Amino acid sequence: MALNADAKKTLLRKIPHGVFICGVAEGNEVNGFTASWVTQGSFEPPLVVMAVRADSTSNGMIQRSGRFSLNVLSADQKDLAAVFFKPQKGVGGRFDAAPYQLGELGLPILNDALGAVECELVGQVAHGDHTVFVGEVKSAVLHHDGAALELSSTGWQYGG
Ligand SMILES: Cc1cc2nc3c(=O)[nH]c(=O)nc-3n(C[C@H](O)[C@H](O)[C@H](O)COP(=O)(O)O)c2cc1C
């Protein structure tokens, strides 16, 4: 049976997404990228699920370090999200536009985001052009509560 590609694309683009900055760290190096394929996966233990491009710099860093952070952007931080999906001069260069501190797990936590969670990698599925990572939330920092940036408000598409 042939897949109806147009229907598949239209329907999958209906899945609502947030827009996050995933932080990674390996040795003395940090990196970060915009991620929208993110959801919660369990209450107890608290799990999050994130799909990461197989050919990205951060994918390998997550595999090797076994951890990642997820920074939750506020509704007015679209410009910052744009910085974190564009090509950069060197690994971690995107953080020039965004001050951060390292959290309890040594992962980048943006000073100006609503907050961030740090996760330990507990599972993954590598099948297709993204790897589905499952992380257990080990730390959480809330800078201030507020409305979060949603993909639907940006006019961008990532999915289908
Ligand atoms: C709106 C939007 C959402 C994105 N969501 C994801 C995502 O969920 N997972 C992913 O791997 N890349 C996603 N990307 C692409 C990455 O941000 C981009 O490939 C980035 O350059 C990867 O950085 P790195 O190679 O330094 O790790 C998204 C891009 C855009 C524009």
Side-chain angles (χ1 to χ4, degrees):
M1 195 172 66
L3 174 65
N4 181 332
D6 286 342
K8 182 265 301 174
K9 183 175 178 178
T10 300
L11 291 166
L12 292 186
R13 285 187 172 182
K14 305 288 185 203
I15 299 173
H17 291 289
V19 183
F20 308 89
I21 304 299
C22 175
V24 298
E26 185 181 20
N28 291 327
E29 237 171 21
V30 293
N31 197 36
F33 68 99
T34 303
S36 58
W37 287 0
V38 173
T39 191
Q40 184 163 357
S42 163
F43 283 121
E44 194 51 52
L47 300 180
V48 292
V49 179
M50 173 179 64
V52 181
R53 275 178 50 172
D55 63 356
S56 71
T57 302
S58 301
N59 188 304
M61 293 176 76
I62 293 171
Q63 306 254 11
R64 291 186 294 272
S65 68
R67 61 206 160 117
F68 60 88
S69 64
L70 277 172
N71 291 270
V72 180
L73 297 179
S74 64
D76 62 359
Q77 288 184 304
K78 180 181 173 184
D79 289 351
L80 190 57
V83 168
F84 275 84
F85 62 68
K86 291 188 176 141
Q88 55 186 348
K89 283 197 192 118
V91 173
R94 295 174 184 130
F95 284 111
D96 292 347
Y100 70 95
Q101 296 189 325
L102 297 179
E104 288 174 27
L105 270 60
L107 293 157
I109 293 182
L110 296 175
N111 295 352
D112 298 333
L114 293 181
V117 295
E118 293 179 287
C119 303
E120 273 180 17
L121 186 65
V122 294
Q124 58 182 288
V125 177
H127 182 78
D129 53 19
H130 283 59
T131 307
V132 179
F133 289 118
V134 181
E136 182 170 339
V137 177
K138 293 293 187 180
S139 87
V141 176
L142 180 65
H143 295 308
H144 57 98
D145 204 354
L149 184 62
E150 295 178 4
L151 187 62
S152 60
S153 75
T154 64
W156 302 331
Q157 290 282 1
Y158 195 83

